[in-house]
Amino acid sequence: MHKFIDLFCGIGGFRIALQRQGMDCVFSCDNDQHVQEAYEANFGVRPAGDITKVKNANIPRHDILCAGFPCQPFSRSGNREGLRDPRGRLFYEIVRIANYHKPSLLILENVKTILTVDEGQVLGEIQNRLNKIGYHVKYSVLNAGNFGLPQKRERVYFVCIKKDSRLLYQEPKAVDLSKFLKDVLLPDKQCDDLVVVRDDIHITKNDPPEAPAPLQIGYVNKGGQGERIYSANGHAVTISANGGGIGARTGLYLVNGRVRKLHVDETKLVMGFSTHHKVSEGIAGLRQLGNAVIPDMVRHVYESVRVV
């Protein structure tokens, strides 16, 4: 059985994906106490905390290193300070651990804007650092909406293969465009407290035909971030850990004649998690989902690595 570690583990998207492949998670870490509690509730083990305080020798040997390293320093909704941000510098902890343990494969996930921060210098640093410790680095920008999830979510996946291994990565191809937001919605009565009641709601278009993308049909207030209204016949907008506006984190949707946000269980489903997967209560849980890695996307990336 292959062994893997789950760095900056969040609520366990990597772990779900690779355990379904028959692998054994031998170490996980996350510095957020609420995340640790949610992870333990789902997997029965509490992640380690601050990775900078964990010695290499205290991390078990592993074949695969997974890390959804903190995206805030690279995100449009953050300050985009890249590797100058202390959270961005956690990338070097990945380098430290990989250099010591030499796993055959690294799978890393982040927001796609990491590719252009500092005019591409962050990307160059990532490639150079991993190349120096013995890894070929490839990356793909993939939209979960092209892989059977009813959400537009573009993320970059770095696939780093040890130079002396016989592994080869080929970018996964889109597999399914058939699921829409309306396919995962809960009964109206479970979502009454999520309905937006205002006198400045503007529906400007009729509900369009089904399409695999967010379909804006109106707006609230001035239509800024978090104030756009979308059809349930399309995809959800990107689930965000932060963001502002009335529809912050989930977006706003016209559902059976009412404008509302998504229920936390609907948010789990558009992120590819079971409704039974545990997250913290309230905004903290939505934030955890917005920061999560989609298990099915990890699966597609992993299955695109083969032995030659």
Side-chain angles (χ1 to χ4, degrees):
M1 178 183 289
H2 288 306
K3 297 180 179 180
F4 69 96
I5 63 171
D6 193 6
L7 304 182
F8 321 113
C9 59
I11 57 172
F14 275 113
R15 183 169 186 143
I16 290 172
L18 295 189
Q19 283 189 164
R20 286 174 179 168
Q21 300 288 327
M23 300 183 199
D24 182 24
C25 183
V26 294
F27 177 82
S28 58
C29 72
D30 199 291
N31 205 29
D32 185 306
Q33 178 181 339
H34 297 296
V35 167
Q36 292 175 341
E37 292 168 356
Y39 194 93
E40 184 175 20
N42 286 298
F43 304 109
V45 59
R46 192 175 186 90
D50 186 351
I51 191 61
T52 66
K53 294 180 169 59
V54 180
K55 295 180 180 179
N56 290 327
N58 291 337
I59 297 174
R61 290 285 176 182
H62 50 276
D63 308 290
I64 302 173
L65 182 156
C66 299
F69 58 110
C71 66
Q72 293 88 344
F74 312 105
S75 172
R76 285 192 180 95
S77 61
N79 55 22
R80 299 181 73 175
E81 291 190 0
L83 296 175
R84 296 187 300 276
D85 187 307
R87 295 167 298 179
R89 295 191 66 81
L90 290 173
F91 163 74
Y92 296 112
E93 298 301 311
I94 297 171
V95 175
R96 168 178 70 88
I97 294 165
N99 191 37
Y100 181 88
H101 284 286
K102 301 294 186 184
S104 299
L105 177 67
L106 282 59
I107 305 176
L108 316 177
E109 186 256 23
N110 216 294
V111 293
K112 71 172 185 176
T113 47
I114 196 173
L115 303 178
T116 54
V117 170
D118 290 341
E119 299 180 339
Q121 291 183 46
V122 168
L123 173 61
E125 174 72 355
I126 289 171
Q127 293 172 315
N128 290 338
R129 288 281 181 162
L130 292 171
N131 183 64
K132 284 181 180 178
I133 64 169
Y135 289 88
H136 296 297
V137 180
K138 290 191 174 183
Y139 62 87
S140 300
V141 176
L142 303 175
N143 178 6
N146 294 332
F147 292 85
L149 277 294
Q151 177 194 175
K152 179 183 179 182
R153 189 178 187 85
E154 294 178 304
R155 290 293 184 265
V156 58
Y157 297 85
F158 293 92
V159 179
C160 314
I161 294 174
K162 196 162 172 253
K163 291 180 180 179
D164 62 0
S165 76
R166 297 175 54 212
L167 300 178
L168 177 69
Y169 169 71
Q170 292 184 317
E171 183 173 298
K173 295 181 179 179
V175 295
D176 185 2
L177 302 177
S178 63
K179 184 171 274 191
F180 306 100
L181 180 61
K182 65 182 182 181
D183 297 325
V184 301
L185 295 179
L186 300 178
D188 285 349
K189 63 182 180 180
Q190 293 181 237
C191 304
D192 286 343
D193 60 343
L194 299 167
V195 174
V196 176
V197 180
R198 295 172 58 115
D199 58 9
D200 58 353
I201 292 175
H202 306 278
I203 303 300
T204 59
K205 298 178 182 178
N206 293 327
D207 243 1
E210 295 173 348
L215 304 173
Q216 185 178 354
I217 57 173
Y219 61 94
V220 179
N221 191 23
K222 297 180 180 180
Q225 184 181 17
E227 297 179 334
R228 295 155 199 156
I229 300 168
Y230 297 87
S231 169
N233 287 342
H235 284 176
V237 295
T238 303
I239 302 301
S240 172
N242 298 299
I246 303 158
R249 298 179 181 84
T250 73
L252 294 173
Y253 305 91
L254 182 65
V255 181
N256 295 328
R258 305 191 300 177
V259 174
R260 67 172 176 85
K261 296 181 66 173
L262 295 183
H263 189 281
V264 65
D265 282 348
E266 295 169 336
T267 308
K268 291 175 186 178
L269 292 172
V270 300
M271 286 295 298
F273 290 87
S274 162
T275 56
H276 300 295
H277 197 82
K278 295 178 178 62
V279 298
S280 296
E281 294 292 328
I283 289 175
L286 291 174
R287 188 175 292 126
Q288 290 162 8
L289 287 163
N291 279 329
V293 179
I294 293 180
D296 266 358
M297 295 307 299
V298 176
R299 175 178 65 84
H300 286 296
V301 171
Y302 173 75
E303 288 179 348
S304 297
V305 178
R306 60 187 178 87
V307 179
V308 294

